[in-house]
């Protein structure tokens, strides 16, 4: 074990540079945040502030033709009125951790109504109450991302509510590091990729049309990514590493019967499945950007909010891990962030006028300043992004 440990640590520090990524360990901090990236960080996006391409609507984004009820809210006047109506944001997995903290941060501004899209209504209601989110600032709607029927039902219910959709945050996730055997979604996809990627893929594809119809000045689709899916960082080199391979397992439907439950076709490994799902999340954001940003003006973004070592994400891990992980991140890697701080970061990506640039993977430096981070070679591979998109649309019944 000691030998293994030593070899892991030393090999982690000699990982070769990948592609265009300049985050070699020589110039990166332990956080996977390279110094050169800090210097390149673009904080001067004020030019983007007023950038609004809303008038170039090209009709429905896709043939998603369900009629949408006219939003029953007072719309922002386009004739120079200063006060903006409340923004309407859907956050998946807002019943705990990052999603809840983001809902709280947005609610506190008084400028947002949060649709908490969650699988457990009572848990979410209790969470919203104990976080002190005022009643008028949130609505809970049922969504189980591990069922494509539930995703479609959610979209239907949301449209019936008559609310506009200004921002969609794909945040929910499961992590099954100790599972020996795969478990599956309602449609028979391995649970981590099925929930974290495929459920969100269908949700965001269906809701793109709704985002496109919104008259809000800055419409955004945010998909939460992570450092652990990026092999250009130390954290991304802790085994098992993310790797989508040739995606033969994904193409086969991840069902563990006539095909592997893993995207790359390998043996089931819960930690790898999670990291692979995060790579899919980051690739999907970029593919959305390539396909739809110019046409719709919608901002597509991903982020690594920091290591929020205290959330429910680690609920399936062994108790010793849950005990040691927070102090390890706080005092050794120094990558730790509190749920509150992480929530404020994601809330910035939702609402800050300076963060409207599309196609960006945001991260934060030690002073909690945001910057555009570099993705690993695999997580920025345009061919893989297209392939993930095309296979996923078949799996979720869109193609
Ligand atoms: C797999 O393990 C799991 O099996 C899987 O379930 C899933 O969780 C997956 O990626 C997620 O990880 C990967 C495995 C890789 O990591 C571990 O099992 C971690 C246990 C490490 C226990 C070693 C104790 C060392 C004491 C450090 C301080 C206490 C805090 C511990 C925190 C726990 C969690 C992170 O790892 C290996 O194969 C072996 C790795 C051992 C590496 C230990 C080195 C720590 C390094 C830190 C770098 C900085 C150096 C400073 C040094 C100081 C030390 C004393
Ligand atoms: P939590 O476990 O606290 O939150 C995850 C949320 O996802 C919960 O609300 C959970 O609901 C929900 N969820 C899980 N499965 C489903 C499902 N089938 N349908 C609907 N909702 C579901 O974890 P975090 O807050 O840490 O994770 C949030 C995001 O942050 C994830 O995308 C994760 O990958 C990312 N992230 C987390 C980091 C960290 O260090 N914690 C670091 C980097 C990224 P329920 O309450 O019902 O279980
Ligand atoms: Mg990691 C160097 C910094 C760093 C950072 C920022 C993270 C973040 N981790 C770092 C380093 C290390 N981790 C090192 C050196 C080790 C070996 C001891 C290590 C181990 C480790 C484990 C076992 N780390 C983990 C695990 C998990 O089970 C978590 C995981 O991989 O989930 C998929 C995890 C994480 N480390 C992080 C972050 C953010 C996680 C949570 C995963 C995520 O949300 O993507």
């Amino acid at each position: 074990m000691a030998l293994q440990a030593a070899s892991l640590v030393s090999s982690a520090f000699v990982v070769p540079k990948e592609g265009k990524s300049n985050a070699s360990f020589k110039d990166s901090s332990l956080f996977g945040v390279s110094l050169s990236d800090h210097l390149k960080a673009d904080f001067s996006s004020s030019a983007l502030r007023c950038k609004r391409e809303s008038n170039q609507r090209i009709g429905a984004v896709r043939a998603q033709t369900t009629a949408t009820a006219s939003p029953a809210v007072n719309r922002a006047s386009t004739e120079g009125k200063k006060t903006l109506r409340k923004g309407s944001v859907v956050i998946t997995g807002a019943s705990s951790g990052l999603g809840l903290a983001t809902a709280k941060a947005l609610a506190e501004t008084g400028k947002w109504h949060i649709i908490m899209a969650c699988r457990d209504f009572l848990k979410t209601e209790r969470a919203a109450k104990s976080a002190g989110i005022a009643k008028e600032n949130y609505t809970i709607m049922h969504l189980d991302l591990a069922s494509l029927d539930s995703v479609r039902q959610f979209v239907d219910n949301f449209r019936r509510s008559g609310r506009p959709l200004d921002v969609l945050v794909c945040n929910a996730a499961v992590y099954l590091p100790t599972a020996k055997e795969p478990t599956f979604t309602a449609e028979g996809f391995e649970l981590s990729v099925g929930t974290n990627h495929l459920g969100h893929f269908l949700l965001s594809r269906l809701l793109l049309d709704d985002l496109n119809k919104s008259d809000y000045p800055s419409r955004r689709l945010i998909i939460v990514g992570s450092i652990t899916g990026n092999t250009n960082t130390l954290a991304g080199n802790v085994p098992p590493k993310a790797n989508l391979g040739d995606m033969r397992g994904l193409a086969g439907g991840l069902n563990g019967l006539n095909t592997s439950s893993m995207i790359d076709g390998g043996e089931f490994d819960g930690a790898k499945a999670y990291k692979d799902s995060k790579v899919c999340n980051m690739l999907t954001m970029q593919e959305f950007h390539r396909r739809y940003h110019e046409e719709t003006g919608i901002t597509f973004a991903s982020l690594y909010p920091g290591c929020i070592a205290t959330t429910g994400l680690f609920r399936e891990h062994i108790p010793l891990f849950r005990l040691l992980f927070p102090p390890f991140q706080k005092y050794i890697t120094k990558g730790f962030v509190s749920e509150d701080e992480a929530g404020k970061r994601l809330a910035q990506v939702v609402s800050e006028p300076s963060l409207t640039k599309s196609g960006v993977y945001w991260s934060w430096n030690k002073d909690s300043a945001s910057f555009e981070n570099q993705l690993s070679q695999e997580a920025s591979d345009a061919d893989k992004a297209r392939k993930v998109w095309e296979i996923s649309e078949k799996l979720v019944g869109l193609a």
Side-chain angles (χ1 to χ4, degrees), residues 126-188:
R126 276 196 286 266
K129 279 218 175 84
S130 67
I133 306 177
K135 249 194 154 19
E136 68 272 18
N137 290 335
Y138 73 93
T139 303
I140 301 172
M141 288 182 66
H142 187 264
L143 168 65
D144 180 357
L145 288 158
S147 154
L148 298 181
D149 280 349
S150 172
V151 172
R152 290 185 178 278
Q153 190 68 55
F154 171 84
V155 171
D156 222 41
N157 288 342
F158 176 76
R159 287 178 179 161
R160 277 175 220 272
S161 77
R163 289 188 186 279
L165 180 65
D166 305 322
V167 178
L168 170 62
V169 181
C170 297
N171 160 78
V174 288
Y175 174 41
L176 310 162
T178 56
K180 300 274 174 280
E181 298 291 332
T183 43
F184 299 94
T185 66
E187 287 75 20

Side-chain angles (χ1 to χ4, degrees), residues 68-333:
T68 308
S70 190
V73 294
N74 59 320
R75 296 190 151 242
S77 159
T78 41
E79 289 127 41
K81 212 203 242 173
K82 261 200 162 168
T83 46
L84 201 59
R85 67 166 165 81
K86 259 192 182 181
S88 178
V89 54
V90 168
I91 305 180
T92 68
S95 57
S96 79
L98 178 61
L100 179 63
T102 305
K104 183 173 175 234
L106 290 170
E108 278 167 2
T109 67
K111 294 178 182 160
W112 291 89
H113 187 87
I114 299 110
I115 293 97
M116 303 170 83
C118 297
R119 60 179 167 173
D120 185 336
F121 191 91
L122 275 178
K123 177 180 177 181
T124 309
E125 186 62 55
R126 276 196 286 266
K129 279 218 175 84
S130 67
I133 306 177
K135 249 194 154 19
E136 68 272 18
N137 290 335
Y138 73 93
T139 303
I140 301 172
M141 288 182 66
H142 187 264
L143 168 65
D144 180 357
L145 288 158
S147 154
L148 298 181
D149 280 349
S150 172
V151 172
R152 290 185 178 278
Q153 190 68 55
F154 171 84
V155 171
D156 222 41
N157 288 342
F158 176 76
R159 287 178 179 161
R160 277 175 220 272
S161 77
R163 289 188 186 279
L165 180 65
D166 305 322
V167 178
L168 170 62
V169 181
C170 297
N171 160 78
V174 288
Y175 174 41
L176 310 162
T178 56
K180 300 274 174 280
E181 298 291 332
T183 43
F184 299 94
T185 66
E187 287 75 20
F189 308 127
E190 185 282 318
L191 193 64
S192 337
V193 175
T195 305
N196 308 355
H197 167 58
L198 291 169
H200 278 135
F201 181 80
L202 178 61
L203 180 72
S204 48
R205 284 288 302 271
L206 295 177
L207 288 178
L208 185 63
D209 211 22
D210 302 70
L211 277 172
N212 200 36
K213 283 179 181 142
S214 152
D215 67 346
Y216 204 69
S218 178
R219 295 143 310 128
R220 309 185 190 188
L221 196 172
I222 299 157
I223 308 177
V224 178
S226 180
I227 194 169
T228 55
N230 279 296
T231 50
N232 58 338
T233 64
L234 173 55
N237 278 284
V238 174
K241 291 204 247 180
N243 178 9
L244 306 188
D246 63 4
M247 295 186 232
R248 65 182 68 184
L250 185 65
L254 300 175
N255 61 34
L257 294 170
N258 54 1
T259 182
S260 163
S261 60
M262 299 294 292
I263 293 180
D264 65 358
E267 283 282 296
F268 174 72
D269 181 324
K272 181 173 184 300
Y274 169 89
K275 293 173 191 177
D276 290 349
S277 77
K278 289 285 118 184
V279 174
C280 290
N281 286 154
M282 295 180 280
L283 289 173
T284 300
M285 175 281 284
Q286 294 163 86
E287 191 65 17
F288 262 116
H289 169 72
R290 278 188 285 269
R291 288 177 186 241
Y292 295 112
H293 175 63
E294 235 179 79
E295 177 186 329
T296 65
I298 294 169
T299 296
F300 300 97
S302 185
L303 70 151
Y304 167 59
C307 186
I308 332 159
T310 52
T311 71
L313 194 67
F314 311 104
R315 65 186 96 174
E316 301 291 337
H317 222 310
I318 56 168
L320 185 64
F321 176 88
R322 295 207 304 274
L323 180 72
L324 295 179
F325 192 54
F328 172 69
Q329 292 294 343
K330 243 182 227 166
Y331 303 113
I332 300 181
T333 73

